């Protein structure tokens, strides 16, 4: 399992305190995700799309690892929108979306152009577990490479949505391996849960390395006991 891979890692050099702390944070994140059944959080996002940075968007999210996702947008360009996705075996693999503003409910394939318009990810990639796995995969690739060394700064504890989180800035050798997710990642791990509270992603786009993804996961509650009723389309008029 990718989530547990760092647990068997050879630790960084003893004097590389930032890399040691980062690895400990990654190991804790992996352990939490291994036991994760579901979570709720307030999701704030801003992305670089089609040559411009979007306005901030805010949504209340319910997520179960069975690929159940419900999002209710409360601020930003999609305010009033409701979205429900229950995996590839539900609704023909499509998610249901109520655009609001008296528009009809639609069924959209997650990878369709309309579904992904104005965003960098499909709904299947939005849960914090998916992006956390990408960051962990890159950390393992750097660890296992014969010549690469971790390039990490420990940014200390910061307050994100009123909750403390330990933050790290990691530079990655994507110029040498295009399969890496990003050139640079700033990740803040929530003190209470060990899961990401904030992610900032820099990548090469439109001729330069720029900030392309900024995500915050606030008021995070792990394993709150979500049931099928929390993902029933009738509950939300979907």
């Amino acid at each position: 399992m990718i989530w547990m891979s760092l647990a068997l890692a050879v630790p960084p050099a003893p004097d590389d305190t930032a890399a040691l702390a980062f690895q400990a944070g990654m190991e804790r994140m992996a352990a939490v995700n291994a036991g994760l059944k579901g979570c709720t959080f307030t999701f704030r996002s801003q992305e670089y799309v089609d040559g411009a940075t979007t306005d901030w968007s805010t949504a209340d999210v319910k997520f179960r690892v069975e690929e159940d996702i419900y999002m209710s947008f409360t601020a930003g360009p999609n305010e009033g929108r409701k979205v429900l996705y229950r995996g590839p075996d539900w609704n023909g693999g499509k998610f249901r979306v109520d655009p609001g503003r008296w528009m009809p409910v639609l069924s959209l394939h997650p990878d369709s152009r309309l579904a992904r318009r104005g965003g960098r990810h499909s709904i299947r990639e939005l849960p914090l577990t998916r992006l956390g796995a990408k960051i962990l995969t890159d950390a393992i690739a750097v660890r296992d490479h014969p010549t690469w060394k971790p390039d990490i700064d420990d940014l200390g504890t910061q307050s994100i949505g009123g909750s403390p989180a330990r933050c790290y800035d990691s530079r990655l050798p994507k110029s040498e391996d295009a399969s890496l997710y990003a050139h640079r990642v700033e990740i803040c791990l929530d003190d209470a849960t060990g899961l990401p509270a904030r992610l900032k992603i820099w990548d090469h786009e439109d001729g330069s390395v720029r900030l392309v993804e900024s995500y915050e996961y606030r008021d995070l509650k792990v394993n709150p006991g979500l049931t099928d009723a929390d993902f029933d389309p009738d509950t939300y008029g979907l």
Side-chain angles (χ1 to χ4, degrees), residues 8-228:
L8 302 177
V10 176
D15 59 346
D16 193 347
T17 56
L20 286 168
F22 176 73
Q23 177 168 304
M26 292 290 99
E27 289 178 357
R28 184 186 178 198
M29 181 177 71
V32 173
N33 272 279
L36 187 69
K37 297 179 181 178
C39 57
T40 62
F41 52 91
T42 297
F43 180 54
R44 298 185 71 243
S45 62
Q46 186 178 54
E47 299 178 328
Y48 183 80
V49 181
D50 295 330
T53 299
T54 66
D55 293 333
W56 279 98
S57 177
T58 304
D60 293 329
V61 179
K62 298 178 181 180
F63 167 67
R64 283 197 306 188
V65 296
E66 294 89 343
E67 291 194 275
D68 293 333
I69 305 168
Y70 172 72
M71 305 179 71
S72 174
F73 290 85
T74 59
N78 297 318
E79 183 176 357
R81 180 175 296 181
K82 297 182 291 184
V83 177
L84 179 65
Y85 177 68
R86 301 207 60 183
D89 297 327
W90 179 79
N91 195 37
K94 299 177 180 180
F95 66 85
R96 300 278 286 170
V97 54
D98 178 356
R101 301 180 180 89
W102 307 104
M103 295 181 67
V105 174
L106 304 173
S107 288
L108 300 175
H109 192 279
D111 295 324
S112 68
R113 178 176 296 183
L114 180 59
R116 300 190 62 161
R117 186 176 63 185
R120 298 178 64 88
H121 295 282
S122 78
I123 191 171
R124 292 179 299 195
E125 298 172 313
L126 285 179
L128 70 171
T129 53
R130 304 294 197 272
L131 292 178
K134 293 177 186 291
I135 293 169
L136 184 62
T137 297
D138 285 359
I140 293 170
V142 172
R143 178 204 71 190
D144 291 344
H145 196 275
T147 60
W148 294 344
K149 294 182 179 180
D151 184 9
I152 299 165
D153 288 332
D154 186 343
L155 304 180
T157 298
Q158 301 181 21
S159 178
I160 300 174
S163 299
R166 187 71 169 271
C167 300
Y168 305 91
D169 189 348
S170 174
R171 277 78 59 188
L172 300 162
K174 188 168 182 177
S175 57
E176 300 180 44
D177 185 351
S179 70
L180 296 173
Y181 183 62
H183 281 272
R184 176 184 167 197
V185 174
E186 182 183 305
I187 183 170
C188 297
L189 299 171
D190 180 62
D191 282 2
T193 65
L195 293 174
R198 183 171 69 202
L199 287 170
K200 292 184 177 181
I201 308 295
W202 285 259
D203 210 0
H204 192 277
E205 194 156 323
D206 291 342
S208 64
V209 175
R210 63 179 72 243
L211 179 63
V212 295
E213 298 172 359
S214 296
Y215 303 129
E216 294 182 0
Y217 308 88
R218 298 186 175 189
D219 301 320
L220 180 62
K221 296 179 176 60
V222 175
N223 296 337
L226 296 171
T227 68
D228 287 345

